[in-house]
Each structure stands twice: as structure tokens, then as C-alpha cells.
């Protein structure tokens, strides 16, 4: 594998609430993404996925840990020195309507990153803007319109054109297809796969849609209460999930064939508050196979036979596998 574009070690993000209280949004995350690789990030709502993406790009300041981008430590780089790096690290947000200035023309929205980060004459910028529009399969006739005249799928293509305008090395995609219908979603995913193949950009694809993540990702990381509980190759993780939370999460994914019976692992209890994290394994309060040691000891990442790493104390003894409950 090539040297990673992004390496994150022990990354934490805590939001202060006053009186020595914090929201523990991201907790000791380790991950790496190589050129041309897509790492999918999944987890329940509120698990810290979007916050992690923003901290990685320094849109939010990290509390602890280390962020290496293209071999450079950017963890505590002053904002003035982070700005030149924006050309090489871009983000596509979940809601294209709120991500784009409604008063700007599409031509100016796509061309803005080029104007800010690339030394080009106006005619060159115009040519590149039209090239980018065609690259994301957006008709150039839309360039003189404003966002209100485009559909959601067309606006997301504008956001992708902006993200690739400066040939970045890293793109963070935060739920980029969640607001789109299935047919439009398929077109966006196909476009992203083409762009990755052409540019060799590293991608962090954040989503709660398990089917989409499996389709587009080389590797997958599973987040629970701001902590990666399992990560590995996409096929291995889907076929032989090792962490009990991953098993429960993936059991909620419906197969494409409605005739296939679905065996669900329904978790009981509520997700603990990120203000007061549980001791030991953070998942023990909802885990069907938790034992006393899980309530006390913090699990380390263990490599399982199928290749992925998972944080579960019961893996060595084989007690990590949930009992499948077939539908009635």
C-alpha cells in the first residue's frame, strides 16, 4: 500500500459545557487512508461521524491526538497556514441547498475554489469551470442559473465539482447521497467511483446507509460513541463482523432479495450520554454478550482471522458472536 494521504492517531474532540463537563464527540480514533482508497464510516446518528470528518479537515479544532496530512502534522497548525492546504483537502456536505450560496450563479460557485486556490487567468478559470461541469455530467446551460433552479441531484453534482476543482488529495464526503432518491443516488455513486479512479484521491465516505457504504468503500470503520469499534476490508467486515455492535448494526441492513429471511439483532437500552461515557467497553450497557470484565476493562484492538480489527474483550474466547434470532 502507498504511503497514506491521511493518518489519524488518538484523535479526540470534546465540546465544553462548563463546570468541567464535556460532550465527548470523538474518542481516541486511529485511521489511515491511502491514495485512491475509500474508507467508509458508519454508525448510528450521533455517533460522531460528521464531527470526525470536520476535525480531520481542521474545520473544528482537535482536543487531543495527531493528524498527519500528506506527511505533514497539521494538528495544531495555525489557521493561516491551514488555508493553503485547502486546495488539497476538500469536503462535500450532506445538504447541497445549505452548502451553496443561493445568490451566486452556478458558474461562480464552481469556479470559486479555482479562483481562491489556483493561479489562473479569468479565461482559464472559465474554461476549467465548464470542464468541471461536464465532468460531473452537468449541462453547461445551468452555469448561468442560481441554485434554486436546479434539483437536489444537480446541486450535489455542483458540490462535487467544487470539491474536485483543485485536484485535491483528500475528499471528505458527509452523507452526500442521503437527501437524494435512489435513481439519483446511483448516478452520484457512479460519478464518485469514476473520479476516484481518475484522480487517485483518498476519500472518507460518511454515511448511515450500509448498502451504499458497502458498494463504494474499500475499507469500513464502525463508530460507536465516537470510538472506532471495528475496521477492515469491506467484504470481510460485512461477511464476518467481529464486534457485537457491528453484528447488530449490519443485521439492520435489508437484502436486495425480499425472499431472503432477515435475522435481526435488536439492541436493548439507550445509547449512553456522550457527557458521561461508561467505564470499560463503551458498548457494554447494550451488549447482549457483555460480562463483568467488559464493565471494567477497556478493550484493545485485536486482529481477527478475517483480517479486520475489533475492540472486544470476548474475541479470544469466541464469546463475541451474537446468537442469530430468525424471524417468526
Amino acid at each position: 500500500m502507498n504511503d497514506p494521504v491521511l493518518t489519524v492517531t488518538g484523535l479526540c474532540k470534546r465540546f465544553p459545557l462548563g463546570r468541567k463537563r464535556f460532550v465527548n464527540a470523538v474518542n481516541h480514533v486511529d485511521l489511515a487512508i491511502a491514495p485512491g482508497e475509500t474508507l467508509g464510516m458508519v454508525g448510528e446518528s450521533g455517533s460522531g461521524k460528521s464531527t470526525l470528518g470536520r476535525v480531520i479537515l481542521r474545520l473544528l479544532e482537535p482536543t487531543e491526538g495527531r493528524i498527519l496530512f500528506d506527511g505533514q502534522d497539521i494538528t495544531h497548525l495555525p489557521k493561516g497556514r491551514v488555508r493553503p492546504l485547502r486546495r488539497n483537502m476538500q469536503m462535500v456536505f450532506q445538504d447541497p441547498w445549505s452548502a451553496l450560496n443561493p445568490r451566486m450563479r452556478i458558474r461562480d460557485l464552481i469556479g470559486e475554489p479555482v479562483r481562491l486556490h489556483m493561479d489562473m487567468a479569468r479565461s482559464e478559470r472559465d474554461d476549467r469551470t465548464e470542464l468541471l461541469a461536464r465532468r460531473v455530467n452537468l449541462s453547461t446551460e445551468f452555469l448561468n442559473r442560481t441554485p434554486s433552479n436546479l434539483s437536489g441531484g444537480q446541486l450535489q453534482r455542483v458540490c462535487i465539482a467544487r470539491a474536485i476543482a483543485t485536484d485535491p488529495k483528500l475528499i471528505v464526503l458527509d452523507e452526500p447521497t442521503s437527501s437524494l432518491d435512489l435513481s439519483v443516488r446511483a448516478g452520484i455513486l457512479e460519478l464518485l467511483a469514476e473520479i476516484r479512479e481518475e484522480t487517485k484521491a483518498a476519500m472518507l465516505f460518511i454515511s448511515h446507509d450500509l448498502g451504499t457504504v458497502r458498494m463504494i468503500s474499500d475499507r469500513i470503520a464502525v463508530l460507536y460513541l465516537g470510538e472506532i469499534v471495528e475496521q477492515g476490508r469491506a467484504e470481510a467486515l460485512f461477511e464476518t463482523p467481529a464486534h457485537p455492535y457491528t453484528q447488530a448494526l449490519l443485521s439492520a441492513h435489508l437484502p436486495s432479495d425480499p425472499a431472503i429471511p432477515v435475522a435481526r439483532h435488536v439492541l436493548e437500552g439507550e445509547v449512553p450520554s456522550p457527557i458521561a461515557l461508561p467505564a470499560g467497553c463503551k458498548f457494554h450497557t447494550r451488549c447482549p454478550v457483555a460480562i463483568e470484565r467488559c464493565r471494567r476493562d477497556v478493550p484493545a484492538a485485536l486482529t481477527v482471522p478475517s483480517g479486520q480489527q475489533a475492540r472486544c474483550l470476548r474475541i479470544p474466547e469466541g464469546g463475541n458472536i451474537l446468537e442469530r434470532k430468525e424471524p417468526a
Side-chain angles (χ1 to χ4, degrees):
M1 187 175 77
N2 297 327
D3 290 339
V5 172
L6 174 73
T7 303
V8 169
T9 308
L11 192 62
C12 298
K13 177 60 181 177
R14 293 190 289 270
F15 295 98
L17 293 177
R19 296 184 180 180
K20 297 183 180 181
R21 299 172 72 230
F22 299 90
V23 175
N24 300 281
V26 176
N27 298 294
H28 306 288
V29 165
D30 298 335
L31 60 82
I33 314 176
E37 181 184 40
T38 297
L39 175 66
M41 180 75 65
V42 298
E44 294 170 284
S45 296
S47 61
K49 303 185 301 295
S50 296
T51 300
L52 177 59
R54 285 162 171 76
V55 173
I56 284 172
L57 294 184
R58 286 290 309 276
L59 299 176
L60 293 172
E61 293 300 313
T63 305
E64 292 180 21
R66 194 179 186 206
I67 307 168
L68 288 178
F69 173 69
D70 203 21
Q72 180 180 1
D73 190 337
I74 67 169
T75 315
H76 302 295
L77 211 60
K79 290 184 178 180
R81 292 179 61 190
V82 172
R83 177 163 181 166
L85 299 177
R86 296 291 178 209
R87 171 174 179 171
N88 287 317
M89 41 197 288
Q90 293 288 329
M91 188 163 190
V92 176
F93 294 93
Q94 176 178 355
D95 183 4
W97 288 273
S98 61
L100 300 172
N101 187 329
R103 297 185 178 182
M104 292 179 68
R105 297 183 305 166
I106 300 302
R107 177 184 303 277
D108 298 325
L109 287 166
I110 294 177
E112 186 177 38
V114 179
R115 179 179 62 82
L116 292 174
H117 299 295
M118 303 178 76
D119 186 14
M120 287 187 175
R122 178 61 183 267
S123 60
E124 291 178 301
R125 291 204 306 270
D126 289 343
D127 290 343
R128 183 163 181 80
T129 298
E130 293 185 6
L131 178 66
L132 287 164
R134 289 193 294 269
R135 179 62 200 87
V136 298
N137 301 320
L138 187 69
S139 173
T140 54
E141 69 181 60
F142 292 114
L143 290 177
N144 290 320
R145 301 184 185 182
T146 56
S148 61
N149 299 119
L150 275 67
S151 68
Q154 290 166 342
L155 290 178
Q156 199 60 289
R157 291 179 184 274
V158 172
C159 292
I160 293 171
R162 283 168 55 88
I164 67 173
T166 56
D167 296 324
K169 296 182 178 181
L170 172 67
I171 304 175
V172 175
L173 301 116
D174 186 8
E175 304 268 13
T177 60
S178 65
S179 60
L180 308 177
D181 62 44
L182 288 177
S183 60
V184 176
R185 184 179 307 177
I188 294 295
L189 293 176
E190 183 178 354
L191 172 62
L192 291 173
E194 291 173 358
I195 289 172
R196 182 185 67 169
E197 184 64 27
E198 292 172 7
T199 66
K200 304 303 178 186
M203 294 185 178
L204 176 62
F205 190 93
I206 298 168
S207 180
H208 65 275
D209 186 329
L210 298 172
T212 296
V213 169
R214 184 175 190 175
M215 183 187 306
I216 199 171
S217 304
D218 299 298
R219 292 185 299 114
I220 294 174
V222 181
L223 212 64
Y224 182 77
L225 274 179
E227 177 183 86
I228 293 180
V229 296
E230 185 168 357
Q231 64 176 314
R233 303 296 298 178
E235 286 306 310
L237 191 140
F238 265 84
E239 294 298 329
T240 55
H243 196 282
Y245 175 67
T246 307
Q247 296 168 46
L249 187 69
L250 298 188
S251 76
H253 176 53
L254 297 176
S256 56
D257 185 352
I260 297 176
V262 178
R264 294 289 303 274
H265 298 304
V266 180
L267 299 176
E268 298 181 358
E270 298 294 329
V271 179
S273 169
I275 300 174
L277 295 175
C281 173
K282 294 180 177 62
F283 184 56
H284 83 258
T285 61
R286 303 171 70 200
C287 182
V289 295
I291 56 178
E292 184 58 35
R293 191 158 57 96
C294 302
R295 297 170 175 82
R296 182 182 66 247
D297 299 340
V298 177
L302 301 176
T303 301
V304 299
S306 48
Q308 68 266 36
Q309 289 190 325
R311 294 180 177 273
C312 178
L313 294 169
R314 302 210 61 191
I315 287 175
E317 67 192 65
N320 57 304
I321 305 301
L322 299 184
E323 180 183 352
R324 281 206 167 272
K325 296 181 180 179
E326 300 297 333

